[in-house]
Amino acid sequence: MKDWPETFDIAIVGGGNAALCAAITAAEAGATVLILEAAPLPYRGGNSRHTRNFRCMHRGPLSVLIDSYEEEEYFHDLMLVTKGKTDEGLARMVIRASEACLPWMEAHGVRFQPSLSGTLSLGRTNAFFLGGGKALVNAYFNTATDLGVKVAYEAEVRHVHREADRITHLEVTVAGQPVTVRAKAFVLASGGFQADLDWLARAWGPSARNFLIRGTPYNRGVVLRDMLDQGAESVGDPTQCHAVAIDGRAPKFDGGIVTRLDCVPFSIVVNRDGERFHDEGEDVWPKRYAIWGRLVAAQPDQVGFSIIDSKAIDLFMPSVFPPIKADTIEGLASLMGLDPATLRRTVDGFNAACQPGTFHPTELDGLRTKGLNIPKTNWARPIDTAPFYGYQLRPGVTFTYLGLKVDDRARVHGTDGPIQNLWAAGEIMAGSILGQGYLAGFGMTIGTVFGRIAGKEAAAHVA
Ligand SMILES: Cc1cc2nc3c(=O)[nH]c(=O)nc-3n(C[C@H](O)[C@H](O)[C@H](O)COP(=O)(O)OP(=O)(O)OC[C@H]3O[C@@H](n4cnc5c(N)ncnc54)[C@H](O)[C@@H]3O)c2cc1C
């Protein structure tokens, strides 16, 4: 195997937010840095290019963020979603460090915008990237290359060679050719394993092959698996993931945010057999949307169908695909591959169970059905006004939770303590903080904070 022609102080695996934050920080500290990105240039940036915002602590108005969002409230929000499965020390460290991230990001090319309609509730907690994650990633690549960071595309790291408590080199395939990359320090920022459908199927059973992957096809967990096989300490449960219900017409990979469907609370959702299977009005959508990925995953063929009428069509953010539309419920059923008579029966049964009351689309209105085995507890209005609309739902996996255990210096640990010249940042170590659940915008916060720590520590190691 040939050696990479140049030598670098630090080799960084991955080309998303965490990798770039590490690369920029290390280069500014004087280290020479090589980024190894598995994707070709047009697909660089991993899941980070699909993001919209990051969650940021602030003690007063900060850039586009209004009011304040202090440590205790942030930590409380985190505890609610993780149900206490949080490493408090690491979580508080990330929360506190997030405040300094925003000006750092601005200084390195990221531009922010106030939250727009549909996301106004996040205007205090989450700072939105102008141009989305793609603009953020492009800004960071520009900054990094201006600092002399070298980027190798189509460079998939296949093996991280460990000898005792050190990493000696990486075995990489660059544009199909095997190459050895030597460096003094290494940062792993290669995301989760959700794009490896075989691994998903081993963890969740064969039905996982029908899941759609919302982000990059390059996060296959090759480096994660390799490190776990070499005794790196792991965190997180392989069967845990963040999954949401997305439009069934989304591509297998990389559909991104625009394929998410927000119509569920104003609809009834039936399975392949035309039967409802869960309370669609359980809570406000931002609190429930993440459970529908798993609910749909548990249905036959891992598919669901959300049915609404013309009264509801303008009540939610539209997805990129237009809904299926018909003048009758039977016509809609035929277009969606459902049995018309069964769907008619389900809709009639639901309509008969709806009660009079006042409908409030933006709050829990208590408008509930009466007498159904599976009630709808809010926003239950008859589906009776043509035209009727339907969306097919499928589980869309955002990311997996199994990862490498790190300490507050981002060091990866083996059974005998930290590996001397190895750090990890981003999704690959996020399970060190989050045991379950997810707080919107926290993925990018973890990656930014730990990317910067990893870059600083690795640069200090080689100095
Ligand atoms: C549709 C969608 C929307 C999201 N929205 C948000 C949001 O608004 N806010 C938020 O905080 N989080 C959001 N997330 C989660 C967020 O994307 C992640 O938490 C974050 O991007 C993780 O950053 P990362 O750098 O760890 O991984 P990534 O950005 O995924 O980067 C991993 C990189 O590693 C590369 N790679 C993988 N394997 C190898 C290998 N063997 N060799 C070399 N390179 C390799 C990949 O090509 C990729 O460049 C969203 C995710 C998705 C899918």
Side-chain angles (χ1 to χ4, degrees), residues 56-70 73 102 114-115 120-127:
C56 181
M57 179 189 127
H58 53 108
R59 283 167 284 192
L62 179 67
S63 181
V64 293
L65 293 167
I66 53 171
D67 300 335
S68 64
Y69 185 47
E70 304 218 18
E73 186 185 356
L102 194 148
S115 54
L120 288 176
S121 58
L122 297 174
R124 193 170 60 85
T125 55
N126 291 45

Side-chain angles (χ1 to χ4, degrees), residues 140-280:
Y140 282 161
F141 271 110
N142 287 344
T143 303
T145 40
D146 285 350
L147 288 165
V149 172
K150 194 84 179 238
V151 184
Y153 295 103
E154 297 178 61
E156 190 189 24
V157 176
R158 310 296 285 270
H159 176 57
V160 178
H161 194 83
R162 179 178 172 192
E163 283 177 17
D165 65 350
R166 299 191 71 73
I167 304 302
T168 54
H169 62 272
L170 305 173
E171 288 174 15
V172 190
T173 306
V174 184
Q177 297 300 315
V179 185
T180 300
V181 172
R182 297 178 199 280
K184 296 178 200 151
F186 301 84
V187 176
L188 307 180
S190 45
F193 69 85
Q194 63 279 354
D196 181 344
L197 296 176
D198 291 334
W199 193 342
L200 289 190
R202 284 198 298 280
W204 293 325
S207 62
R209 291 187 193 283
N210 288 336
F211 296 177
L212 302 173
I213 311 304
R214 301 176 70 208
T216 179
Y218 295 96
N219 287 1
R220 290 193 284 260
V222 174
V223 164
L224 172 62
R225 172 86 279 151
D226 183 49
M227 288 311 303
L228 297 178
D229 288 348
Q230 296 184 74
E233 219 181 310
S234 76
V235 278
D237 178 348
T239 67
Q240 284 290 321
C241 70
H242 184 268
V244 303
I246 62 172
D247 195 300
R249 293 163 291 185
K252 187 77 183 167
F253 296 102
D254 263 341
I257 194 77
V258 293
T259 64
R260 200 177 93 184
L261 286 175
D262 292 349
C263 52
V264 169
F266 306 118
S267 75
I268 59 166
V269 179
V270 299
N271 60 17
R272 183 196 65 184
D273 304 325
E275 308 289 349
R276 290 177 61 242
F277 51 90
H278 196 83
D279 176 0
E280 302 88 349

Side-chain angles (χ1 to χ4, degrees), residues 5 81 85 92 132 178 246 248 311 315 340 362 378 395 411 433 436-437:
V81 293
K85 284 197 181 166
R92 283 189 183 276
I246 62 172
K311 299 196 296 298
L315 296 178
T362 54
N378 290 286
R411 295 181 300 182
I433 300 169
Q436 68 172 55

Side-chain angles (χ1 to χ4, degrees), residues 116 129 142 289 298 352 378 381 415 424:
L116 301 173
F129 315 132
N142 287 344
Y289 90 94
N378 290 286
R381 291 194 299 176
T415 39

Side-chain angles (χ1 to χ4, degrees), residues 70-156:
E70 304 218 18
E71 179 180 337
E72 286 314 317
E73 186 185 356
Y74 198 147
F75 185 68
H76 175 75
D77 288 347
L78 192 61
M79 291 298 275
L80 280 183
V81 293
T82 62
K83 301 199 165 50
K85 284 197 181 166
T86 304
D87 180 315
E88 180 164 353
L90 290 185
R92 283 189 183 276
M93 187 192 83
V94 170
I95 290 170
R96 280 185 216 120
S98 70
E99 192 171 27
C101 286
L102 194 148
W104 184 89
M105 293 162 82
E106 284 182 329
H108 292 89
V110 179
R111 296 290 170 264
F112 291 94
Q113 65 175 50
S115 54
L116 301 173
S117 66
T119 56
L120 288 176
S121 58
L122 297 174
R124 193 170 60 85
T125 55
N126 291 45
F128 280 73
F129 315 132
L130 182 66
K134 183 109 183 173
L136 171 140
V137 160
N138 286 344
Y140 282 161
F141 271 110
N142 287 344
T143 303
T145 40
D146 285 350
L147 288 165
V149 172
K150 194 84 179 238
V151 184
Y153 295 103
E154 297 178 61
E156 190 189 24

Side-chain angles (χ1 to χ4, degrees), residues 4 6 8 12 23 32-36 144-145 147-152:
W4 186 261
E6 296 157 83
F8 294 86
I12 297 181
T32 57
V33 180
L34 172 67
I35 285 181
L36 298 155
T145 40
L147 288 165
V149 172
K150 194 84 179 238
V151 184

Side-chain angles (χ1 to χ4, degrees), residues 13-18 36-39 45-48 50-53 155-157 189-191 214-215 218-219 222-223 256-257 398-399 426-427 438 441-444:
V13 186
N17 175 57
L36 298 155
E37 161 62 300
N47 282 355
S48 300
H50 288 296
T51 63
R52 296 187 300 168
N53 60 57
E156 190 189 24
V157 176
S190 45
R214 301 176 70 208
Y218 295 96
N219 287 1
V222 174
V223 164
I257 194 77
T398 321
F399 49 77
E427 215 57 74
Y438 181 64
F442 202 45
M444 290 297 275

